[in-house]
Structures are given as C-alpha cells and as structure tokens.
Amino acid sequence: MTLDRPPRIATWLLEHLAPGPRNESLAGDLLEELRSGRTAGWYWRQAIDAIVIACSRQFLNHATAMLYAMVWTTLVPAWLRAIGSIEQRFNLSQRFGQMDWPWSILCDWGLLLAANLFFLGAGIAIFHLPHLWAARKLSLRPLTHGLLASAPTLLTVWAALVVLPKIFPLQNAANSLDSSPAASAVPHLQVAAMVVRLPFFLVILAALWGTASHHTNHGVSLST
Amino acid sequence: MTDRSYLGEFELMILLAIVHLGDEAYGVPISRELECHRGRSVSIGSVYAALERLESKELVTSNLGDPTPERGGKAKRYFRITKEGLRQVHETRRVLTRLWQNIPVPKGERA
C-alpha cells in the first residue's frame, strides 16, 4: 500500500527540529520516496536521522562558542564580587537610595546592567579577536551584533530568573544554605554559582551563536 | 603535494553518484544510487549533510528546481560536481590505486 500523506508528527518534527537551508528539499525527497512505496516506519526513521544529524552539526559548529561561554562565565562570581566591592567603596547604594523614585531604581539597575554588559562585551570581543586577527580583516559587525543582542537577552533572562523562583519556590534551598553544616552547603553553593552564571552563559551563547559557525571549520565529518 | 585533505569514503561515493546521475542528481536518486551500490540503506539526512560539506568545500554546486505537487510543493535541489570536485575525485583515485598495489589477496579469493 502506498501512503499519500506523510506522518504528521514526523513532518512537524522535521520542519521544526532540523534547522538548515536543505530542510525543504530533504522533506520533499522523503515525501517523494514515501509516495513511491516506502513505509511510514521508513519515513519516521529517516526524519529522526535527519533531525539527529542536523542537531549534531549545529552542536559541532557551535562547540567552540559553547565551550568559550562556559569558560568565560566561570569569572562571573568574581566579577559580581568586584562590582559589589566597588559599590560598597563608593557607597553607591546609599547615594542611589537618597534619589527620588524612579531615579533611585533606574540608577541602581542601570549601573548593574552597564557593568554586566561591559563584562559580556569584553567576553564577546575576546572571543572574536583571534578570528579577526587570523582573517587579517577588522570587521566590527560580529562584535556589534553580539553587543546589540546582549542587552535584550540579558534583560529577558534576568526577568525570567526573577519570575521563575516565584513560580517554583527556591526559598527552602536558600534557608538550608544558612542553617546547614559546611559539608552539605557545598552542593547548594555550587547550585547558587550555576544560577548566577546561567544568564551570562545564555547571553554570551546567544550573542556568539550567529557568528560562531562562520569561524568554525565547515569540514566537520559526520559518519553515515 | 597539495595542501588539502582527501575525500572521505562517503563523500567520494556521493561525488561519483552525482557524476553518474548527471542532470538528475538530487537527494532521492543519489540515495538510491548509493543504496544500490553499497547494498544497504542510506539515511537521506546523512546524504544531505555530506552534500552540505561538499558544497562548503566548493566541490559541488546546487540549484533549486521548481516545486512539484507530488513532493508536496517542495522543490528538488539539484547538485552538480565542480571542476575542483572532479579533480579531487581523480586525485583520490590515483592515490588509492597506488596504495592498492601489492596488497596481498586473502586465501581462497581470486586476484
């Protein structure tokens, strides 16, 4: 029996989970084969294969960016500590607190955002420098794109981190951090460090994602 | 000596299939050609992944055909080997032929 319509779910997954310029032609090829006598099981296998291969390629193309984002964000706790000590030294919280609303909030958050954007910008710039040096071409486009992408992404992730704990309360974990002995507090500290690093990791990755594939070797071999 | 990497086995097979198929080289016939000669099924996704690599190395070029109703309105992508691709196919054959010389034949098989 020849199937006329492809399995809907498999087609949807293929269209949405297999990114790439060849997606449409590939989907057409699978449909052509299905209509020439292949089974639905064959279609499913081919669709899943295509998704796995496309995702692996995406992962490999961006492996450098992911690794870099992980390494760079290990500096986040130290950076936040440095900002905190500068804030304390110049008594900024108190100065901002004396301002009228909304300037007090705007200055406080604005300073934190600017400091964090500086950290992110430095990370993005350092990632691109070796590639620009290797290409012997000064192009500020990837850097500008990265920086422009940083601010909205950072704000979105921060907003999510403010909202999410309200939905999934983490208060118990924070309380146990204060009361528990040192040995059992270590995992909580690790979790806290990861939560602090998460927005920075996501922002750097988002900023580097579009440009990283141009820097990586396109000749990555995938087995059949 | 050239300063580029040699073709992988699967890439070489795909390039040869494209040459065999001529103007009709798109995903389905390429996969069928490979299945026919290898004697086992081929994932069309892996064929496209290899074609994408070959295109990025400028060993093949591609162009979209017209969308057809039997393919759900999706266009075929036709592939064609480039001059450099053909040169690399011949280069790979030359190297492999030299390497195959004086390889002992297993017992019970004819040379």
Side-chain angles (χ1 to χ4, degrees), chain B:
Chain B
M1 193 166 175
T2 51
D3 59 346
R4 44 117 194 94
S5 59
Y6 286 101
L7 294 168
E9 180 199 7
F10 195 59
E11 291 175 340
L12 180 62
M13 285 183 193
I14 285 179
L15 284 177
L16 292 171
I18 290 172
V19 175
H20 285 174
L21 291 164
D23 291 339
E24 279 304 306
Y26 67 96
V28 172
I30 293 172
S31 306
R32 284 184 184 162
E33 185 88 353
L34 292 174
E35 274 184 6
C36 174
H37 290 288
R38 294 172 92 200
R40 59 188 164 111
S41 67
V42 172
S43 149
I44 296 184
S46 67
V47 170
Y48 269 90
L51 284 166
E52 205 172 314
R53 285 200 303 275
L54 290 168
E55 201 167 5
S56 72
K57 291 180 192 173
E58 297 179 353
L59 301 182
V60 297
T61 56
S62 73
N63 63 289
L64 279 176
D66 294 325
T68 53
E70 63 269 19
R71 291 168 55 89
K74 294 180 169 69
K76 293 173 183 171
R77 184 172 284 275
Y78 292 98
F79 293 89
R80 186 180 280 272
I81 194 164
T82 62
K83 209 173 169 182
E84 176 60 18
L86 197 59
R87 197 187 69 73
Q88 285 210 22
V89 167
H90 281 289
E91 170 75 2
T92 306
R93 187 180 71 161
R94 193 180 60 78
V95 172
L96 287 175
T97 307
R98 275 204 313 217
L99 286 168
W100 271 107
Q101 283 173 4
N102 302 323
I103 297 287
V105 181
K107 281 180 185 174
E109 281 187 26
R110 286 184 180 182

Side-chain angles (χ1 to χ4, degrees), chain A residues 15 21-22 24-33 35-36 38 42 46 49-50 53 57 218-224, chain B residues 10 26-28 32 35 38 42-46 48-49 52-53 55-57 64 69-77:
Chain A
E15 284 171 359
R22 309 283 179 265
E24 191 190 317
S25 308
L26 193 150
D29 285 353
L30 293 187
L31 188 60
E32 187 182 328
E33 283 284 62
R35 286 179 175 169
S36 68
R38 301 279 196 176
W42 177 90
Q46 291 285 335
D49 264 359
I53 289 165
R57 281 180 69 80
H218 287 272
V220 180
S221 180
L222 283 169
S223 66
T224 60
Chain B
F10 195 59
Y26 67 96
V28 172
R32 284 184 184 162
E35 274 184 6
R38 294 172 92 200
V42 172
S43 149
I44 296 184
S46 67
Y48 269 90
E52 205 172 314
R53 285 200 303 275
E55 201 167 5
S56 72
K57 291 180 192 173
L64 279 176
E70 63 269 19
R71 291 168 55 89
K74 294 180 169 69
K76 293 173 183 171
R77 184 172 284 275

